[in-house]
Amino acid sequence: MQRKAKSVALCAVLVALTILFGAIPYAFLIPVLLAAVTTDFKTSLVLSSCFGVISLIYALMGGSVVALAFVANPWIPIVGRLLVGPAARGAYMLADRAIKKEGKFKSVFPRSIGAAVGSIVNTAIVVSLLVLFAPNVGLEDVTVIVYVPVMLISGAIELAINVLCVPTIALAVDKVRARNGG
């Protein structure tokens, strides 16, 4: 029972961080990826779902081309983000199993792989859905199609930040868990 309460509390903290990180450019995805490399599949799926809903809420407040496309097609930010956490979790687990020797490399590399895969999946799915289902949604003369290079550059920046930050934060989370018994 105590373990389940800790899991629910951690999930709630990660959802709150997702809300807060939504206001920080390129950091929005960090809590989702952190869940993927420090918790379980179910929690990463819950965080991915929350990430999609929070993305839609932020789109309702924003005025960018992507925000307008999300408002016009509210299912895109939600459906487009469902696989992010599970894909990152799967990549993390595969990389973790592939490395046999214990050490710093084993504790960092699988988390970097999980963060990279989650970030790439997020960008690939969301940009693809926007191009397929909202290509002409736009703001003045800038449509989704015209905005694709900006989205891809932003995705690359986000990828670099996630690969650098997620493993570092995950290691800190692991140390806190070890001190607190789980």
Side-chain angles (χ1 to χ4, degrees):
M1 185 66 167
Q2 187 179 12
R3 185 172 170 90
K4 185 170 182 155
K6 284 182 179 181
S7 293
V8 170
L10 178 59
C11 189
V13 167
L14 290 168
V15 169
L17 285 173
T18 303
I19 293 167
L20 291 173
F21 279 37
I24 303 169
Y26 310 114
F28 199 7
L29 194 53
I30 289 173
V32 176
L33 299 175
L34 186 60
V37 301
T38 61
T39 63
D40 56 11
F41 178 83
K42 188 168 126 181
T43 304
S44 66
L45 182 60
V46 167
L47 257 290
S48 291
S49 302
C50 292
F51 177 52
V53 171
I54 294 165
S55 297
L56 177 59
I57 292 167
Y58 273 116
L60 293 169
M61 294 185 264
S64 71
V65 173
V66 174
L68 289 174
F70 282 178
V71 171
N73 301 278
W75 61 273
I76 290 177
I78 297 168
V79 171
R81 296 204 162 113
L82 282 177
L83 293 177
V84 173
R89 178 75 187 160
Y92 160 73
M93 296 202 48
L94 285 172
D96 190 55
R97 285 189 189 135
I99 300 168
K100 303 298 181 203
K101 188 178 177 187
E102 293 296 324
K104 195 74 161 172
F105 184 74
K106 183 174 175 68
S107 62
V108 173
F109 183 73
R111 290 179 169 108
S112 296
I113 294 297
V117 168
S119 190
I120 291 167
V121 165
N122 177 58
T123 300
I125 292 176
V126 172
V127 171
S128 296
L129 290 174
L130 287 170
V131 167
L132 289 171
F133 296 101
N136 297 319
V137 173
L139 188 61
E140 296 179 17
D141 291 337
V142 180
T143 63
V144 166
I145 290 294
V146 171
Y147 202 68
V148 167
V150 174
M151 290 187 283
L152 295 177
I153 291 167
S154 294
I157 294 167
E158 186 177 68
L159 170 65
I161 289 170
N162 290 329
V163 168
L164 292 171
C165 293
V166 170
T168 306
I169 298 168
L171 290 172
V173 168
D174 286 348
K175 284 183 183 179
V176 170
R177 276 190 174 158
R179 270 191 239 133
N180 295 328

